[in-house]
């Protein structure tokens, strides 16, 4: 790919091998609009220069407000090495290439101003960032400034909570958060801790997160019996008093259990390797299913409301390591299905729902 092409697009580095491996993925995406158009688009975007909670969408009273959280969970080493995950190597072991996920996310955010996305693993993001052109880096800074690309957790990795020494936890969090501070300033500061894949959660981890200044803690995995009981008692959210020795509220932290670990609802996975039926909104098509899917979505959201004390459900789109791309979700206008009014919005790292 020539220098002229790179100046107006998002690229992944990595030499001849990486460039050759990404050609087919790049062909899936149309060219980005001219930079002059993108600049005007950024200026026209609501709250374009206000990061943080100022970018949260407005919650509509007397409606079921459903927040779509578009994300990707990228293991920094699991079945493959870190480099193999990043470059998309050894896909016969696991089909995953993080550089392509980030490429497609940034392209999609630039193409549609209502889209939002959160990212977590700074070990991957910092590597991708170093391989981008100055032009791309500036466009990404603008997305972060708008709150449309937001970082959750912000550590180098999403650390284990069971066998990890607290010193190592602090060190790896410092490494990731320092990168975000140096690169994006206060605009890049994560406001929620995000542990959607560690198996089990320790009180000390929550205490550390509270002392680091996080406003909330979201996690995905817990014992199925504990989860069932919490659903029945509407205790999927709580304020975790994470220390017996520190004077409250020094280690108190709002904590929420995600409804489906890190996955989208059953039947609503539209990644490239998913087999769920796509959303067909043309009423003239014999495959038209928009009304049924909206009704199904509302049933899911209405059921989810009964698990949490706050009646504002979160719906997570995409999951662990999509194969080559992760498309940010787009906020939809308010609609009505039957007797249930609802609106779908994109929160800022999911924390806007915590009223």
């Amino acid at each position: 790919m020539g220098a002229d092409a790179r100046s107006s697009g998002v690229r992944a580095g990595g030499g001849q091998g990486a460039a050759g491996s990404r050609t087919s993925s790049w062909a899936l995406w149309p060219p980005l609009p001219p930079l002059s158009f993108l600049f005007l688009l950024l200026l026209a975007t609501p709250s374009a220069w206000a990061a943080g909670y100022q970018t949260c969408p407005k919650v509509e009273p007397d409606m079921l407000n459903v927040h779509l959280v578009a994300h990707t969970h990228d293991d920094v080493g699991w079945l493959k090495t870190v480099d193999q995950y990043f470059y998309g190597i050894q896909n016969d072991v696991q089909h995953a290439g993080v550089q392509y996920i980030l490429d497609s996310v940034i392209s999609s955010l630039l193409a549609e101003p209502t889209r939002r996305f959160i990212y977590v693993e700074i070990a991957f993001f910092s590597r991708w960032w170093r391989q981008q052109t100055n032009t791309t880096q500036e466009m990404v800074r603008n997305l972060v400034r708008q709150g449309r690309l937001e970082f959750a957790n912000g550590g180098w990795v999403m650390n284990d909570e069971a066998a990890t020494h607290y010193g190592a936890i602090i060190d790896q969090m410092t490494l990731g958060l320092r990168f975000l501070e140096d690169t994006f300033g206060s605009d890049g500061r994560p406001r929620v801790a995000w542990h959607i894949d560690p198996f089990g959660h320790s009180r000390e981890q929550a205490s550390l997160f509270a002392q680091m200044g996080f406003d909330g803690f979201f996690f995905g995995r817990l014992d199925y019996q504990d989860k069932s009981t919490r659903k029945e008692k509407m205790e999927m959210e709580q304020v975790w008093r994470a220390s017996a020795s520190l004077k409250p509220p020094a280690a108190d932290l709002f904590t929420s259990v995600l409804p489906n670990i890190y996955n989208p609802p059953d039947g609503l996975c539209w990644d490239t390797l998913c087999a769920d039926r796509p959303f067909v909104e043309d009423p003239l098509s014999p495959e038209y299913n928009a009304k049924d899917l909206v009704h199904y979505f509302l049933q899911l959201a209405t059921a989810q409301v009964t698990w949490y004390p706050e009646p504002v459900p979160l719906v997570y789109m995409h999951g662990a390591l999509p194969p080559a791309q992760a498309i940010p979700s787009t906020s939809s206008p308010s609609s009505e299905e039957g007797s249930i009014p609802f609106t779908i919005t994109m929160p800022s790292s999911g924390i806007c729902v915590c009223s």
Side-chain angles (χ1 to χ4, degrees):
M1 184 179 294
D4 292 340
R6 289 197 300 268
S7 67
S8 61
V10 181
R11 70 178 180 88
Q16 295 294 328
S21 65
R22 70 188 304 281
T23 302
S24 60
S25 176
W26 184 255
L28 297 173
W29 298 95
L32 291 178
L35 290 179
S36 58
F37 171 77
L38 291 173
F39 180 71
L40 293 174
L41 190 64
L42 294 176
L43 291 179
T45 304
S47 303
W49 308 111
Y53 294 124
Q54 299 177 58
T55 66
C56 290
K58 181 181 178 182
V59 175
E60 298 292 338
D62 303 320
M63 299 186 78
L64 176 60
N65 291 267
V66 182
H67 292 289
L68 299 181
V69 181
H71 76 106
T72 175
H73 170 56
D74 303 334
D75 292 300
V76 187
W78 178 38
L79 300 178
K80 306 194 294 187
T81 68
V82 176
D83 284 71
Q84 288 170 349
Y85 271 118
F86 182 79
Y87 291 112
I89 300 170
Q90 296 285 0
N91 280 340
D92 57 324
V93 176
Q94 186 180 14
H95 199 104
V98 176
Q99 62 174 343
Y100 307 119
I101 295 172
L102 288 166
D103 283 353
S104 65
V105 163
I106 300 305
S107 297
S108 296
L109 290 174
L110 292 171
E112 172 51 61
T114 63
R115 290 173 177 163
R116 295 178 180 233
F117 201 85
I118 64 172
Y119 197 78
V120 177
E121 292 85 4
I122 305 305
F124 284 133
F125 184 86
S126 63
R127 176 178 294 201
W128 177 87
W129 174 264
R130 291 193 301 268
Q131 298 176 358
Q132 305 310 304
T133 64
N134 292 336
T135 300
T136 297
Q137 289 182 351
E138 188 56 33
M139 288 191 290
V140 173
R141 284 192 179 96
N142 288 337
L143 292 172
V144 173
R145 197 172 294 126
Q146 296 171 57
R148 293 176 51 218
L149 174 64
E150 191 160 357
F151 298 98
N153 211 63
W156 199 246
V157 299
M158 188 182 297
N159 63 264
D160 172 66
E161 298 187 30
T164 312
H165 191 270
Y166 73 91
I169 295 175
I170 293 172
D171 286 347
Q172 72 89 15
M173 289 296 298
T174 301
L175 185 61
L177 292 170
R178 173 56 60 190
F179 169 84
L180 293 176
E181 173 68 24
D182 292 344
T183 306
F184 303 107
S186 60
D187 294 335
R189 176 196 165 196
R191 287 167 171 77
V192 297
W194 186 262
H195 268 207
I196 59 176
D197 202 24
F199 289 74
H201 305 279
S202 70
R203 191 182 191 187
E204 184 59 31
Q205 180 75 58
S207 177
L208 289 173
F209 279 151
Q211 294 176 72
M212 290 176 189
F214 285 109
D215 296 331
F217 178 25
F218 291 79
F219 66 81
R221 297 189 183 276
L222 75 166
D223 181 80
Y224 74 96
Q225 293 173 312
D226 185 11
K227 186 173 184 179
S228 177
T229 299
R230 289 182 179 276
K231 285 181 178 180
E232 293 175 3
K233 296 183 177 181
M234 296 183 67
E235 294 180 352
M236 293 279 278
E237 289 178 350
Q238 65 180 10
V239 174
W240 194 343
R241 181 146 293 172
S243 175
S245 58
L246 295 176
K247 183 178 180 180
D252 291 358
L253 187 61
F254 170 83
T255 304
S256 181
V257 181
L258 305 187
N260 199 30
I261 307 180
Y262 47 56
N263 297 311
D266 291 341
L268 301 181
C269 182
W270 295 310
D271 209 294
T272 54
L273 287 186
C274 293
D276 294 341
R277 291 185 61 193
F279 190 90
V280 181
E281 55 185 331
D282 180 3
L284 300 179
S285 171
E287 300 297 332
Y288 172 73
N289 62 356
K291 185 175 181 179
D292 290 340
L293 282 177
V294 168
H295 181 70
Y296 171 63
F297 182 89
L298 282 177
Q299 287 180 319
L300 293 173
T302 304
Q304 190 172 314
V305 166
T306 65
W307 306 339
Y308 296 86
E310 290 291 338
V312 187
L314 300 177
V315 177
Y316 296 84
M317 303 306 293
H318 304 293
L321 286 164
Q325 58 196 31
I327 311 302
S329 295
T330 304
S331 58
S332 302
S334 301
S335 306
E336 290 195 10
E337 170 67 21
S339 59
I340 306 174
F342 75 99
T343 182
I344 299 176
T345 56
M346 293 295 296
S348 177
S349 280
I351 197 65
C352 292
V353 302
C354 306
S355 55

